[in-house]
Amino acid sequence: MEGGWATEAPARFADAAGPEGRDGSLRAAPWRWALGGALVASAVFAGVLVVQERYGQAGPPIRYRHSEQLCSETPLKSVGAALGGLGGGTPGHGEGPALDWSSCAASGNREDQAFMSDARVMVELHKKTDPGPEFGLAPEMEAYGMPVAYEKVSGLGERALFNGVRHSPRLQVLDGGTVVTLTVSWWTKGAADPGDKVDEDAVKAAMVEDARALLTRLRK
């Protein structure tokens, strides 16, 4: 119509007005592609959450049984021999929905009570949370704040390592949701250095042997 409004919308508006272009072909607006991508990403993310929730509910694998009398399960024969003898142990244990634990503490002395030693072992069964990501991350500090180096141990559980301070080595073993910690200490009454009374390498070898024997005994 002359002098009136144009009856045809400009092409740029026609393309945006509907799904059909000027040639009649279907065209998806850019926001539709973005929406489709967001929906796919949301579905993938939801799937990941479902998988994570399922594994989280299942918990880490527990390959060892809980023992209320750990001292009878782990006599620490090798450690006792390396230290010159250990007395009867004192057991402890606890059970809960997320963690079962058991422990044994034994001590010994020799040379007219001048030399003292003890050994402590704990078995933790983590039933809900995987202890793997945090295993070995707790800091250990020697006297005067000097850091203690970790020493890896092969052939024991999934991962195993030594840490601890001088005259008090600590062996930790990780296997699935199970963590075994064995700590041995020795000292003398007075100012004498107990280092010449004990072969620390022999003690650490004995700790590995006793930890392996305990895991074998508790294996389901």
Side-chain angles (χ1 to χ4, degrees):
M1 178 185 299
E2 293 184 0
W5 293 99
T7 57
E8 292 186 4
R12 64 179 182 274
F13 294 132
D15 288 344
E20 294 186 1
R22 284 178 296 177
D23 58 358
S25 61
L26 293 175
R27 296 182 182 178
W31 64 268
R32 294 186 179 182
W33 292 110
L35 177 59
L39 291 175
V40 172
S42 298
V44 172
F45 182 69
V48 171
L49 289 180
V50 170
V51 172
Q52 289 179 342
E53 183 179 2
R54 183 172 69 247
Y55 289 158
Q57 289 176 348
I62 303 295
R63 305 183 182 99
Y64 304 90
R65 59 182 173 82
H66 175 64
S67 174
E68 296 182 1
Q69 296 294 329
L70 194 63
C71 291
S72 62
E73 308 278 7
T74 175
L76 298 175
K77 293 180 179 179
S78 298
V79 169
L83 293 174
L86 288 172
T90 302
H93 72 93
E95 298 180 60
L99 175 69
D100 292 345
W101 64 271
S102 55
S103 65
C104 179
S107 60
N109 58 74
R110 63 185 187 188
E111 298 179 7
D112 299 327
Q113 308 293 320
F115 178 84
M116 307 293 293
S117 61
D118 67 42
R120 302 175 301 279
V121 60
M122 175 172 285
V123 178
E124 302 170 70
L125 305 179
H126 296 259
K127 297 182 287 186
K128 296 294 186 180
T129 305
D130 183 7
E134 298 180 357
F135 180 77
L137 296 182
E140 281 288 339
M141 303 302 289
E142 178 64 278
Y144 307 108
M146 298 299 292
V148 176
Y150 288 89
E151 176 186 347
K152 293 182 179 180
V153 181
S154 60
L156 190 60
E158 293 179 5
R159 280 185 283 164
L161 52 85
F162 271 109
N163 54 25
V165 297
R166 189 166 177 253
H167 303 157
S168 186
R170 181 170 66 179
L171 173 64
Q172 290 183 293
V173 183
L174 171 72
D175 195 346
T178 302
V179 177
V180 175
T181 303
L182 172 58
T183 305
V184 176
S185 304
W186 58 91
W187 63 96
T188 56
K189 292 183 178 180
D193 187 342
D196 59 348
K197 299 181 181 295
V198 174
D199 183 343
E200 187 155 345
D201 289 336
V203 172
K204 291 168 74 174
M207 293 169 69
V208 172
E209 185 175 345
D210 283 342
R212 181 175 289 111
L214 174 60
L215 289 173
T216 300
R217 188 177 182 90
L218 294 180
R219 185 86 181 193
K220 291 182 179 180

